[in-house]
Amino acid sequence: MKFFRLDGVKIKSPAKIEAMKRAGRLSADALEAVGSLVAPGISTAELDACAERVIVQGGGRPAFKGYGGFPATICASVNETVVHGIPSRDVILQEGDVVSIDTGAIVDGWVGDNAATFAVGAIATQTRVLLDACEAALAAGIAKALPGNRMGDIGHAVQSVIEREGFGVVRNYAGHGIGRDMHEPPVVPNFGQPHTGMLLERGMVIAIEPMATMGTHEVRVTDDGWSIVTCDKRPAAHFERTVAITDDGPLVLTPWNLVKNY
Ligand code: MG
C-alpha cells in the first residue's frame, strides 16, 4: 500500500534507489570531467559546456538548467562565491583561485546532485585546509546517515569538523531530500545537536552538502539574483554527495573520485 508522510518525505524502495544510481553516476562523471579541466586560463563557461556534453552524451539531462530559471548546466562559484555562481565566458580562472562546481543530472526521471571545490593551480595553505575540512565534514556527515540516527547527528558531525578548524558553517543554505525532484523534504542542515531532529529511516535519499567559510558564515545574494557570496569576501568551500540511507549503511549514489589537484 502506498502512503504519504505528512512531512512530505518520500521513502524510496530498493528498486527506486537502484534506479537513482544512473543519475548519480552521471552527475559524478560530469563533476570529475569538469574537475579535470580546472586550471588557470579556462573560463567557467567552458567548464559548463564540458558538463553539459558529458551529461547529454551519457543519456541524461542537466538538472539545473531552467530550474527556477537558472541559466546553465553547472553552478561555478569562484572564491568568495559559496554556491549558485553562474558560469560565464568572462570569468577566467586565475592561479590561486578556488572554484566550487555543482553538477546535477536527470536520468529516467531521477535526479543526482553533487559538488566539489577545486584549486586553480597553487593555493594558499589555509585555503587548502579549508577545502580539506569541508570534504572531511561531508564524509563525517555521510557516516551518520544511518537508520535510527537523527538529522541533528548529521548536522552536528558536519559542523564539528568545520568549526574544529576555526572555519564558519553556512546556516542559510542546507542539503535536501532528492528523488524525482531535485529538492524534496527533508531539509538537511549543516549544523545541529546530536539525537535531535527527524528520525532517519531506510529509503530516505538526501543530498548532504556542507558549505564552509574561511571567515564569517554570513552570506548574501548578489545582484545577479543567484550567486551566494560571503559577506567578508573571504573564500568558501562546498562539497556534496547524494546518499541513500539503507540497512547496510550509507550508500553514495554520486561516487565521484576526485584526484586532488592541490
Ligand atoms: Mg544540492
Side-chain angles (χ1 to χ4, degrees), residues 102 113 176 183 207 209 240:
D102 200 333
D113 187 8
H176 48 92
H183 295 126
E209 48 178 318
E240 176 182 26

mmCIF file of all heavy atoms in Angstrom, residues 102 113 176 183 207 209 240, ligand 1:
data_model
loop_
_atom_site.group_PDB
_atom_site.id
_atom_site.type_symbol
_atom_site.label_atom_id
_atom_site.label_comp_id
_atom_site.label_asym_id
_atom_site.label_seq_id
_atom_site.Cartn_x
_atom_site.Cartn_y
_atom_site.Cartn_z
ATOM 1 N N ASP A 102 29.131 22.529 -8.979
ATOM 2 C CA ASP A 102 27.967 21.736 -8.593
ATOM 3 C C ASP A 102 27.359 21.214 -9.889
ATOM 4 O O ASP A 102 27.101 22.001 -10.807
ATOM 5 C CB ASP A 102 26.979 22.644 -7.836
ATOM 6 C CG ASP A 102 25.980 21.876 -6.980
ATOM 7 O OD1 ASP A 102 25.677 20.713 -7.323
ATOM 8 O OD2 ASP A 102 25.508 22.448 -5.986
ATOM 9 N N ASP A 113 22.800 14.808 -7.677
ATOM 10 C CA ASP A 113 23.276 16.160 -7.343
ATOM 11 C C ASP A 113 24.570 16.001 -6.551
ATOM 12 O O ASP A 113 24.593 15.243 -5.570
ATOM 13 C CB ASP A 113 22.190 16.848 -6.494
ATOM 14 C CG ASP A 113 22.456 18.317 -6.204
ATOM 15 O OD1 ASP A 113 23.400 18.884 -6.776
ATOM 16 O OD2 ASP A 113 21.692 18.903 -5.397
ATOM 17 N N HIS A 176 19.333 18.565 1.257
ATOM 18 C CA HIS A 176 17.917 18.360 0.954
ATOM 19 C C HIS A 176 17.648 16.916 0.561
ATOM 20 O O HIS A 176 18.550 16.210 0.108
ATOM 21 C CB HIS A 176 17.525 19.272 -0.218
ATOM 22 C CG HIS A 176 18.491 19.207 -1.369
ATOM 23 N ND1 HIS A 176 18.338 18.343 -2.410
ATOM 24 C CD2 HIS A 176 19.663 19.867 -1.602
ATOM 25 C CE1 HIS A 176 19.365 18.493 -3.254
ATOM 26 N NE2 HIS A 176 20.193 19.405 -2.790
ATOM 27 N N HIS A 183 14.855 19.004 -5.203
ATOM 28 C CA HIS A 183 14.716 19.429 -3.818
ATOM 29 C C HIS A 183 13.416 18.891 -3.247
ATOM 30 O O HIS A 183 12.339 19.363 -3.579
ATOM 31 C CB HIS A 183 14.762 20.962 -3.711
ATOM 32 C CG HIS A 183 16.087 21.521 -4.107
ATOM 33 N ND1 HIS A 183 16.241 22.497 -5.069
ATOM 34 C CD2 HIS A 183 17.333 21.233 -3.672
ATOM 35 C CE1 HIS A 183 17.529 22.781 -5.206
ATOM 36 N NE2 HIS A 183 18.217 22.026 -4.375
ATOM 37 N N ALA A 207 20.726 14.766 -0.164
ATOM 38 C CA ALA A 207 21.983 15.388 -0.602
ATOM 39 C C ALA A 207 22.560 16.097 0.625
ATOM 40 O O ALA A 207 21.924 16.976 1.190
ATOM 41 C CB ALA A 207 21.727 16.374 -1.724
ATOM 42 N N GLU A 209 25.469 18.492 1.927
ATOM 43 C CA GLU A 209 26.328 19.453 1.224
ATOM 44 C C GLU A 209 26.856 20.557 2.136
ATOM 45 O O GLU A 209 26.330 21.672 2.133
ATOM 46 C CB GLU A 209 25.627 20.033 0.004
ATOM 47 C CG GLU A 209 24.222 20.550 0.183
ATOM 48 C CD GLU A 209 23.678 21.133 -1.130
ATOM 49 O OE1 GLU A 209 24.414 21.828 -1.837
ATOM 50 O OE2 GLU A 209 22.499 20.883 -1.442
ATOM 51 N N GLU A 240 29.502 18.039 -1.902
ATOM 52 C CA GLU A 240 28.152 17.456 -1.839
ATOM 53 C C GLU A 240 28.121 16.066 -2.466
ATOM 54 O O GLU A 240 28.759 15.826 -3.499
ATOM 55 C CB GLU A 240 27.169 18.365 -2.608
ATOM 56 C CG GLU A 240 25.750 17.810 -2.700
ATOM 57 C CD GLU A 240 24.819 18.708 -3.497
ATOM 58 O OE1 GLU A 240 25.304 19.453 -4.371
ATOM 59 O OE2 GLU A 240 23.600 18.667 -3.242
HETATM 60 MG MG MG B 1 22.148 20.104 -3.630
#
